[in-house]
Amino acid sequence: MRKWVYFLEDNLELKGEEIKELLGGKGAGLYLLAKAGFRVPPFFIISPKASVYYLEKGKIPDGLEEEVEEGIGYLEKKTNKKFGSLENPLLLSVRSGSKFSMPGMMDTILNLGINDEICSVLAQRSGEEFAYHLYQRFLEIFSDVVLGIKREKFLSLNLEGKEAIAQYKKILRGKLPQDPFTNLFSAIVAVFKSWNNPRAIEYRRIYKIPDNLGTAVNIQAMVFGNLNDRSGTGVVFSRDPATGEKKIYGEFLLRAQGEDLVAGIRTPEPIDKLRDYLPNVYEELKREVGKIEREFRDMQDIEFTIENEVLYFLQTRSAKRSPQAKLKVVVDMLKDGLLAEEEAIMRMTEEDIISLLNPVFDPKFKYQPVTTGIPASPGCAVGEIVLSSEGAIKKAKEGVKVILVREFTKADEIAGMEKANGFLTTTGGKTSHAAVVARGMGKPCIVGANGIRIDEKRRMIYVQNPKEPKKVCKRREGEVISINGSTGEIVFAEVPLVEPEMTQELKDFLSLCDKFRKLGVWANADKPKEAARARDLGAEGIGLARTEHMFFHPDRIRYFQMMILSEDTRERKKFLAKLLPYQRKDFEGLFKAMAGLPVTIRTLDPPLHEFLPTSLNEVKKLAKKIGIKPDVIFKKIAELKEENPMMGFRGCRLGIAYPEITEMQARAIFLAACRLKKKGISVLPEIMIPLTITEEELKNQRAIIEKVAEEVFKKTKVRVEYKVGTMVETPRACLTIKTIAQYADFFSFGTNDLTQMVFGFSRDDYPRFLPYYLEKKILSSDPFITLDKNGLGRLIEMAVKEAREVRKDFKIGICGQHGGDPRSIEFCHQIGFTYVSCDTPLVPIARLAAAQARIKEEKGEVGIDLTR
């Protein structure tokens, strides 16, 4: 018979992901906490598989009702209380808990089991304030979650205690059952259903959590932080979630329940103040939190309740933290021997590395903060003010960067929070919803900025001027502000941002990644400054330097345009000769920046019409500048016009039709290389021919390059080693790679064009229909971002295998967009690429992803299925 409910006494011999799958993340934390001997109120857990059953069948599974009743008996025995009894009533919390943490996305109900009679009994025994607070909180939450009456309807009355309950009952009009068991099963079903509420669905989409996992239901005996002045509730982190500093960090409220804290309704006190009120509890909390972190071998986010100076732990989970804190925790635990090197590498993500290298305020720029708040998630952001989640979504669609400014954020605003560049709230602390979500997303956040007042009606925010208290500063929705989530500074101006430098901690971590990875990591860079930055970030070479970008400089573009407009080879060569010194200087800069490392230079690729103007005014300006009639330019534009230019007269086809272009570029490369070698600088040029479809094209272009090389070597009396290879961008090149490989020293897959040709998707037009494909799950991801393993991947895998049959050590790379995507990098590792080349900012991500790919492979956790 299938089992739905689990108890501590079940002695589950499960760890890691397995126990989370069986009990959900929250349930697993509860179970492991209690099993390790920490003081946890008694509980039982309904497995997520029960919610999956309910959502599929529309009814609770057979046997669940009996198992829940058995669970209630278990709690009654453990607490010496009775559910539904007037003598010693047992009250329950009913909480959701998926395998993956989804803070605030699903539903929780507190104080379940209370009714009119039980409230009266508790009021007589423990005081009216205590009893009515419990009942009021239950009515608000249960009505919202189970009965569908929005909580705001109750809160807007702004009432407390007996008077609040009287008014709440008028709203309910007898809809609330008085039977605790009826309410319990209604609550269980409501938690099941909350798996599919809009905010939970949106959260799963953002964080790529599968939709078929379901949620556990954690049913636990209540302990009461609102009992008296020696009781309270709090959230504590085992370390500072912004910096990773090893000290307990959090907030608490005396005479309160957890809901008061996490909802941001009351302003909490910092955890260190607990020492002033309950010193013994504070010392115990500090001691136990340290033990919990060591037990779980990760930084923890812990909810606790104090009842009459007795400390209880209600849950623990892996803490949401800033990327800076995450890295520090990983490094610290590695040093302390709590983590193996492989575990440390697997803890960090692509998003973490991006955030660690996010921009900061330019230190040279002078600015005056209008006010400050509590820094809750580090980093800086600049953007237009939006005062609603919907506004953030709308502006983001228009490509506008925004800062979401709210009194406090709620779980159902997750979609807008994803689109915002940073968050600013006027209330709440460092454990509020906005702070937790920001740290999880790696976005800057300031909370508790109580100097700011939001006027929703006028769509304005106001703050008193710190220098002139009588003067009020204001900003309208749509105007720009800047926030610093590391300091809490809020600036009513646009502060310039600069790229941060890598910390020694991050350098050390990435060096550890280098120790494990097999794939080389190169960069796509066209300028010396960009190449130097790539090298600083750990690039081991340049995998793609696009020479066409070099011609758009104002000093050069007219010569290039005159070359295009030339009527014969002699005239073309004249203008190419004028471009030669510029190109040589470009290549010298790249070779210097990457001294001792390979630099792959792609010969001219785009169609020539891209270098000519299109509008009448621009044509007239060019004609005047170069001294020819506009008609001549229009005639050439008409000649170059193509119906499908991306599959037209471009790539090696240009070099075959106009060999003088390839000659000039090759000469510039070899002159630059020989000049630097004379100065003792190590140079490793690699020349890449684009868009080949046959070995004859490569033979043609290679012959030109070799001829020019010998001419330059003879003239300069210097020789340099070099390679000639090709960019594999067409299906035919993949299919005939064995013959092309006989004339190539290396291959680099240009997967942008390959994807376009394999899918038949235009790179410029596919965004119009892709959302429908993703929404209807026709495609699981954008094929231009994550490489299509089962279609394009089969073609590439075959090409790699056949190239290696020609030469076992054949050098093979990738230089398309996919070279910086972790899932695509994993594929490249699996099929034996030599290196990946990505945009400069993505180099650290590629280093991490390549290491993780090897670790997964060695653990047997990945394998590429190319049969589907």
Side-chain angles (χ1 to χ4, degrees):
M1 186 174 174
R2 199 166 187 185
K3 182 175 170 64
W4 305 105
V5 171
Y6 292 87
F7 304 92
L8 180 63
E9 283 73 11
D10 283 326
N11 290 318
L12 303 169
E13 295 299 326
L14 299 173
K15 291 182 181 178
E17 298 304 301
E18 289 180 328
I19 195 164
K20 287 183 181 179
E21 284 170 11
L22 183 69
L23 304 179
K26 195 174 293 182
L30 267 180
Y31 179 86
L32 295 171
L33 260 180
K35 187 139 183 161
F38 296 97
R39 192 182 297 117
V40 175
F43 61 90
F44 65 90
I45 299 159
I46 302 173
S47 176
K49 58 193 177 186
S51 73
V52 173
Y53 182 99
Y54 177 85
L55 294 169
E56 286 179 356
K57 309 284 187 184
K59 63 177 185 176
I60 65 171
D62 293 342
L64 177 60
E65 193 170 331
E66 292 77 10
E67 289 186 46
V68 169
E69 288 173 357
E70 181 190 341
I72 296 298
Y74 169 82
L75 296 185
E76 289 175 337
K77 185 178 176 183
K78 289 284 183 182
T79 60
N80 292 318
K81 295 180 179 181
K82 190 81 175 169
F83 189 59
S85 166
L86 297 179
E87 288 183 19
N88 193 14
L90 170 66
L91 301 189
L92 306 173
S93 67
V94 181
R95 297 170 180 253
S96 60
S98 170
K99 176 183 175 182
F100 298 103
S101 175
M102 296 171 59
M105 296 302 114
M106 293 176 292
D107 293 326
T108 290
I109 298 166
L110 302 180
N111 309 326
L112 192 139
I114 197 168
N115 58 21
D116 293 349
E117 290 183 298
I118 290 172
C119 180
S120 297
V121 168
L122 290 173
Q124 290 168 21
R125 290 180 186 168
S126 304
E128 289 189 350
E129 184 184 344
F130 167 70
Y132 293 146
H133 181 267
L134 293 183
Y135 203 14
Q136 183 179 345
R137 185 69 69 235
F138 170 71
L139 291 175
E140 290 167 4
I141 301 172
F142 190 87
S143 300
D144 192 343
V145 173
V146 177
L147 303 178
I149 302 170
K150 289 293 180 188
R151 192 173 182 182
E152 285 77 9
K153 194 167 186 178
F154 299 100
L155 295 177
S156 65
L157 299 175
N158 200 24
L159 298 170
E160 289 290 333
K162 200 170 187 177
E163 189 182 354
I165 290 166
Q167 292 302 316
Y168 286 8
K169 285 188 172 182
K170 286 181 181 178
I171 294 172
L172 289 167
R173 294 178 186 169
K175 292 179 182 175
L176 179 72
Q178 290 292 302
D179 176 46
F181 273 98
T182 300
N183 289 342
L184 174 59
F185 282 101
S186 296
I188 290 168
V189 167
V191 172
F192 285 166
K193 288 180 176 178
S194 72
W195 175 254
N196 280 335
N197 70 40
R199 64 179 184 264
I201 291 170
E202 187 68 15
Y203 190 93
R204 291 199 297 274
R205 182 193 66 78
I206 293 168
Y207 289 99
K208 298 180 176 65
I209 296 171
D211 289 325
N212 61 352
L213 298 176
T215 177
V217 182
N218 303 282
I219 298 173
Q220 190 170 27
M222 288 292 301
V223 285
F224 302 106
N226 61 331
L227 183 61
N228 52 38
D229 290 335
R230 300 185 309 282
S231 303
T233 187
V235 174
V236 67
F237 293 84
S238 56
R239 295 171 185 247
D240 185 324
T243 66
E245 184 184 354
K246 195 171 182 179
K247 66 173 185 178
I248 66 165
Y249 179 97
E251 296 161 327
F252 75 99
L253 285 168
L254 289 181
R255 211 168 188 132
Q257 290 196 291
E259 182 70 16
D260 302 321
L261 181 73
V262 295
I265 297 166
R266 286 173 57 187
T267 302
E269 295 194 74
I271 199 67
D272 289 348
K273 286 280 286 182
L274 183 60
R275 184 196 290 118
D276 299 340
Y277 300 107
L278 302 168
N280 291 338
V281 174
Y282 175 78
E283 290 304 324
E284 182 187 2
L285 179 68
K286 243 177 41 165
R287 188 170 59 250
E288 294 294 283
V289 164
K291 289 179 184 176
I292 291 171
E293 182 180 270
R294 288 192 294 278
E295 178 71 27
F296 285 84
R297 297 187 314 121
D298 194 12
M299 177 180 159
Q300 295 295 292
D301 172 356
I302 301 161
E303 285 185 30
F304 67 89
T305 288
I306 306 158
E307 183 181 280
N308 263 331
E309 297 196 36
V310 179
L311 175 65
Y312 294 92
F313 293 106
L314 305 186
Q315 77 166 64
T316 190
R317 62 188 174 195
S318 180
K320 300 284 184 188
R321 67 208 83 168
S322 73
Q324 289 88 340
K326 195 170 184 182
L327 179 62
K328 178 162 176 53
V329 171
V330 161
V331 171
D332 284 355
M333 290 192 169
L334 193 57
K335 286 176 184 172
D336 293 343
L338 291 172
L339 292 180
E341 291 179 331
E342 294 90 338
E343 285 182 288
I345 290 170
M346 297 307 294
R347 288 268 176 100
M348 297 298 286
T349 67
E350 161 196 11
E351 291 79 12
D352 295 331
I353 302 299
I354 289 172
S355 296
L356 285 166
L357 294 169
N358 267 349
V360 296
F361 284 170
D362 186 344
K364 296 175 185 172
F365 185 82
K366 302 297 181 189
Y367 63 87
Q368 178 63 50
V370 291
T371 188
T372 58
I374 301 168
S377 185
C380 297
V382 179
E384 290 185 12
I385 297 165
V386 290
L387 298 178
S388 68
S389 175
E390 295 77 15
I393 294 167
K394 183 182 176 185
K395 285 281 189 179
K397 280 183 181 174
E398 297 167 4
V400 177
K401 293 182 177 179
V402 299
I403 307 296
L404 180 62
V405 182
R406 305 283 287 138
E407 185 180 348
F408 56 87
T409 62
K410 297 180 292 184
D412 58 5
E413 296 178 283
I414 189 73
M417 297 176 81
E418 182 204 9
K419 299 299 183 186
N421 288 74
F423 319 140
L424 168 61
T425 67
T426 59
T427 63
K430 292 186 178 181
T431 58
S432 65
H433 178 261
V436 170
V437 171
R439 290 193 292 268
M441 289 183 170
K443 294 185 178 184
C445 177
I446 297 172
V447 297
N450 52 27
I452 286 181
R453 182 170 62 85
I454 300 172
D455 186 332
E456 297 275 0
K457 190 175 180 181
R458 291 185 173 86
R459 312 304 287 173
M460 302 277 285
I461 65 172
Y462 301 91
V463 63
Q464 281 190 324
N465 189 316
K467 289 187 175 179
E468 302 175 56
K470 291 183 180 179
K471 187 177 179 183
V472 174
C473 301
K474 58 186 178 181
R475 268 288 187 274
R476 188 179 300 281
E477 187 172 37
E479 292 186 301
V480 172
I481 62 168
S482 305
I483 63 170
N484 187 333
S486 303
T487 64
E489 293 174 316
I490 300 158
V491 185
F492 278 6
E494 184 173 345
V495 181
L497 301 177
V498 295
E499 294 292 328
E501 294 302 314
M502 278 212 291
T503 63
Q504 191 58 49
E505 210 160 46
L506 181 55
K507 287 179 182 177
D508 292 344
F509 175 76
L510 291 171
S511 294
L512 176 64
C513 293
D514 296 339
K515 175 181 166 183
F516 282 86
R517 65 181 168 88
K518 284 198 292 190
L519 269 175
V521 175
W522 297 17
N524 302 336
D526 313 324
K527 297 175 182 174
K529 188 175 179 181
E530 190 182 356
R533 172 72 176 154
R535 187 168 192 156
D536 287 343
L537 293 174
E540 300 162 308
I542 297 297
L544 174 62
R546 302 171 179 89
T547 53
E548 58 271 12
H549 290 180
M550 301 167 182
F551 295 124
F552 284 102
H553 191 280
D555 293 343
R556 314 168 190 197
I557 187 63
R558 70 189 177 102
Y559 292 130
F560 199 81
Q561 290 167 332
M562 290 167 81
M563 184 275 294
I564 294 170
L565 295 166
S566 297
E567 292 298 323
D568 55 44
T569 303
R570 184 186 62 79
E571 199 174 350
R572 272 193 298 276
K573 284 186 173 181
K574 181 177 80 173
F575 292 115
L576 286 168
K578 295 200 177 279
L579 289 166
L580 177 66
Y582 293 113
Q583 284 266 274
R584 191 207 71 225
K585 190 176 178 183
D586 291 331
F587 300 141
E588 279 187 34
L590 283 176
F591 291 144
K592 266 186 194 175
M594 301 303 288
L597 297 175
V599 176
T600 308
I601 297 167
R602 183 178 70 185
T603 54
L604 188 65
D605 183 40
L608 295 178
H609 73 87
E610 288 191 5
F611 297 90
L612 293 176
T614 53
S615 72
L616 178 61
N617 282 341
E618 288 172 334
V619 168
K620 284 181 176 178
K621 280 181 188 175
L622 176 61
K624 187 176 180 182
K625 188 189 291 183
I626 61 179
I628 63 172
K629 293 180 180 178
D631 290 351
V632 175
I633 300 174
F634 279 120
K635 182 184 175 187
K636 180 59 72 172
I637 290 170
E639 282 176 18
L640 294 174
K641 185 179 182 300
E642 295 179 288
E643 294 302 324
N644 192 342
M646 292 311 291
M647 297 174 74
F649 192 8
R650 54 168 285 227
C652 64
R653 298 156 201 175
L654 289 169
I656 288 165
Y658 306 122
E660 54 272 20
I661 295 176
T662 304
E663 283 176 13
M664 183 277 287
Q665 291 196 295
R667 195 173 304 281
I669 289 168
F670 291 120
L671 283 170
C674 291
R675 279 167 69 108
L676 292 182
K677 188 173 180 183
K678 271 186 179 178
K679 295 177 181 178
I681 296 170
S682 174
V683 181
L684 300 171
E686 301 193 353
I687 302 174
M688 184 157 68
I689 308 301
L691 209 69
T692 52
I693 58 171
T694 171
E695 69 274 16
E696 293 301 327
E697 290 171 325
L698 184 56
K699 280 168 67 179
N700 174 287
Q701 292 295 283
R702 181 166 194 138
I704 294 169
I705 290 163
E706 289 174 343
K707 177 175 175 289
V708 170
E710 291 305 317
E711 289 172 2
V712 173
F713 296 162
K714 187 175 179 182
K715 183 179 178 181
T716 61
K717 297 183 173 55
V718 177
R719 296 190 74 84
V720 294
E721 294 295 320
Y722 67 94
K723 288 180 167 55
V724 179
T726 187
M727 202 164 173
V728 181
E729 301 173 84
T730 66
R732 192 182 194 281
C734 292
L735 294 166
T736 61
I737 207 155
K738 235 176 178 176
T739 51
I740 297 175
Q742 294 171 32
Y743 302 95
D745 300 323
F746 65 91
F747 286 136
S748 182
F749 283 87
T751 50
N752 296 351
D753 272 345
L754 254 179
T755 299
Q756 181 170 237
M757 293 188 187
V758 167
F759 273 82
F761 287 177
S762 162
R763 271 193 284 167
D764 298 320
D765 301 321
Y766 88 103
R768 295 178 190 173
F769 58 82
L770 181 70
Y772 301 107
Y773 275 62
L774 297 177
E775 181 187 332
K776 297 177 190 299
K777 298 187 174 10
I778 293 169
L779 290 175
S780 60
S781 59
D782 183 337
F784 286 95
I785 292 175
T786 296
L787 194 142
D788 164 46
K789 295 177 183 178
N790 298 316
L792 176 58
R794 287 172 66 89
L795 194 62
I796 292 175
E797 187 196 32
M798 181 206 70
V800 169
K801 185 180 176 185
E802 292 197 354
R804 293 265 163 78
E805 286 174 8
V806 175
R807 195 161 64 248
K808 282 184 180 178
D809 61 346
F810 205 96
K811 187 160 129 183
I812 299 173
I814 183 174
C815 59
Q817 180 71 30
H818 303 103
D821 171 65
R823 286 177 290 172
S824 305
I825 290 168
E826 187 176 306
F827 172 80
C828 294
H829 168 84
Q830 286 285 303
I831 64 169
F833 270 52
T834 313
Y835 67 91
V836 295
S837 187
C838 58
D839 292 340
T840 294
L842 303 180
V843 167
I845 292 165
R847 291 167 71 186
L848 171 66
Q852 290 179 335
R854 185 176 183 186
I855 291 166
K856 284 183 183 178
E857 181 186 51
E858 289 178 352
K859 287 183 173 180
E861 291 180 6
V862 289
I864 291 170
D865 176 11
L866 295 171
T867 61
R868 289 183 293 115

